[in-house]
């Protein structure tokens, strides 16, 4: 007839998973065994533990263990004179048998919702059109008193489907930044970031022409001669220039305390396009 919002307490169980305590208050209404309507107002404490492990696909997964129901209080609308002790004990025993089948499946339902969220961890993530990224658990999850740690293996595939080799060396826990309270931290290695940028390497290639550099002088050969006087005498007369940027080698990420660096190695080839002939390369710069 009536169900109050449950009061839920959660705690991490070191080496196991999550411990859950739920205070449930409800009113059950029905026909009395002596005729008329009877209401039973009860409060029960549900306790359950869940184990955090991994399935065959390498996805973190919670499974329930040890669901128990303890009656906190039971009250009825029947006069105490009509509810002798033997009947009261019968009511308690009946509720002790009925409530686990009524309430414990709710724990499984909640864990199934959480597990459905966790399956997205191993879904393929597109990196634009350059390739895909996927995670899998490298080791079983570790639960401590204050946090859950997931060691993830990153699987990178290029657009053609070829897997990118990644170093498997793991940083020592002592080298990681301290865990902040009530926060989720994602720690990425420099090797992983370098590999991810290498998959995206072709995305950094582009051709730069006049319509891409608004506000700057026109990209023509005479402008190049003004910038670099040494080459002015070998340049053709004023003609449009296109700069072709190409990544020369894989990017490199370096991480240090308080700062990080990303190095992109490119070549910039300057082309002139005479109206009456094929494009001609002027010179190449390493960038």
């Amino acid at each position: 007839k009536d169900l109050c919002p449950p009061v839920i307490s959660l705690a991490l169980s070191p080496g196991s998973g999550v411990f859950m305590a739920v205070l449930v208050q409800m009113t059950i209404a029905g026909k009395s065994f002596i005729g008329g309507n009877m209401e039973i107002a009860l409060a029960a404490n549900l306790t359950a533990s869940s184990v955090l492990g991994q399935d065959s696909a390498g996805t973190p997964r919670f499974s329930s263990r040890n669901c128990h129901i303890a009656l906190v209080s039971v009250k009825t609308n029947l006069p105490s004179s009509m509810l002798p002790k033997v009947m009261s004990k019968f009511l308690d025993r009946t509720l002790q048998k009925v409530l686990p089948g009524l309430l414990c499946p709710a724990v499984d339902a909640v864990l199934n919702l959480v597990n459905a969220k966790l399956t997205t961890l191993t879904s393929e993530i597109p990196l634009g059109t350059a390739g895909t990224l996927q995670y899998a658990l490298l080791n079983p999850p570790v639960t401590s008193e204050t946090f859950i740690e997931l060691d993830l293996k990153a699987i990178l595939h290029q657009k053609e489907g070829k897997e990118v080799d990644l170093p498997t060396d793991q940083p020592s826990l002592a080298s990681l930044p301290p865990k902040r309270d009530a926060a989720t931290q994602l720690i990425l290695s420099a090797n992983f970031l370098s590999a991810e940028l290498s998959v995206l390497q072709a995305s950094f290639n582009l051709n730069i022409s006049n319509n891409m550099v608004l506000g700057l002088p026109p990209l023509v050969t005479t402008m190049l001669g003004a910038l670099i006087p040494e080459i002015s005498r070998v340049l053709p007369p004023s003609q449009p220039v296109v700069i072709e940027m190409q990544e020369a080698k894989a990017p490199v990420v370096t991480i240090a305390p308080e700062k990080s660096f990303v190095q992109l190695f490119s070549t910039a080839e300057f082309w002139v396009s005479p109206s009456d002939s094929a494009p001609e390369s002027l010179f190449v710069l390493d960038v």
Side-chain angles (χ1 to χ4, degrees):
K1 179 180 177 181
D2 185 31
L3 179 63
C4 297
V7 180
I8 302 173
S9 302
L10 297 175
L12 295 179
S13 300
S16 175
V18 176
F19 175 79
M20 181 189 311
V22 183
L23 178 63
V24 180
Q25 295 172 287
M26 66 173 68
T27 301
I28 302 174
K31 293 293 183 181
S32 168
F33 53 88
I34 59 173
N37 294 323
M38 181 177 69
E39 291 187 355
I40 305 172
L42 64 89
N45 195 34
L46 178 153
T47 58
S49 59
S50 61
V51 176
L52 179 59
Q54 66 184 100
D55 60 18
S56 57
T59 304
R61 186 173 184 82
F62 284 100
S63 55
S64 63
R65 298 283 190 277
N66 306 323
C67 179
H68 297 289
I69 306 291
L71 286 173
V72 178
S73 67
V74 179
K75 297 178 181 179
T76 73
N77 63 339
L78 298 178
S80 58
S81 60
M82 299 177 62
L83 197 66
K85 286 186 177 180
V86 70
M87 189 56 67
S88 179
K89 289 182 179 179
F90 169 76
L91 182 60
D92 284 354
R93 285 199 304 270
T94 302
L95 289 173
Q96 290 280 14
K97 290 179 181 179
V98 170
L99 288 177
L102 181 67
L103 299 178
C104 286
V107 176
D108 293 326
V110 171
L111 292 180
N112 286 338
L113 291 173
V114 175
N115 289 332
K117 297 285 187 182
L118 291 174
T119 56
T120 60
L121 182 69
T122 55
S123 302
E124 276 198 342
I125 305 164
L127 299 175
T129 59
T132 59
L133 167 63
Q134 193 171 11
Y135 291 109
L137 278 178
L138 192 60
N139 299 302
V142 176
T143 306
S144 74
E145 292 182 354
T146 54
F147 62 87
I148 294 173
E149 180 186 327
L150 302 179
D151 289 333
L152 301 176
K153 176 185 179 183
I155 305 168
L156 283 169
H157 284 97
Q158 296 173 335
K159 179 171 58 177
E160 301 80 11
K162 181 182 178 182
E163 186 173 340
V164 179
D165 288 332
L166 278 172
T168 56
D169 56 311
Q170 294 293 300
S172 66
L173 291 180
S175 69
L176 299 180
K179 174 74 177 70
R180 290 176 294 155
D181 291 338
T184 297
Q185 289 177 271
L186 178 63
I187 301 169
L188 303 174
S189 70
N191 287 332
F192 165 70
L193 294 172
S194 292
E196 187 172 21
L197 287 174
S198 72
V199 172
L200 298 168
Q201 192 172 337
S203 303
F204 300 123
N205 297 337
L206 72 160
N207 292 337
I208 302 172
S209 59
N210 258 336
N211 57 2
M212 299 178 65
V213 285
L214 299 176
L216 294 179
L219 288 178
V220 293
T221 50
T222 49
M223 182 204 75
L224 293 178
L227 291 173
I228 314 174
E230 291 83 353
I231 65 169
S232 58
R233 62 180 180 275
V234 298
L235 291 174
S238 181
Q239 293 181 20
V241 171
V242 173
I243 307 171
E244 183 180 17
M245 302 291 296
Q246 296 284 330
E247 289 304 300
K249 59 181 180 178
V252 174
V253 176
T254 306
I255 299 177
E258 307 300 330
K259 66 177 76 174
S260 299
F261 301 94
V262 178
Q263 291 175 283
L264 303 176
F265 306 94
S266 304
T267 58
E269 187 165 9
F270 289 73
W271 293 81
V272 64
S273 299
S275 57
D276 56 348
S277 60
E280 176 188 351
S281 175
L282 297 176
F283 55 89
V284 179
L285 297 179
D286 290 325
V287 182

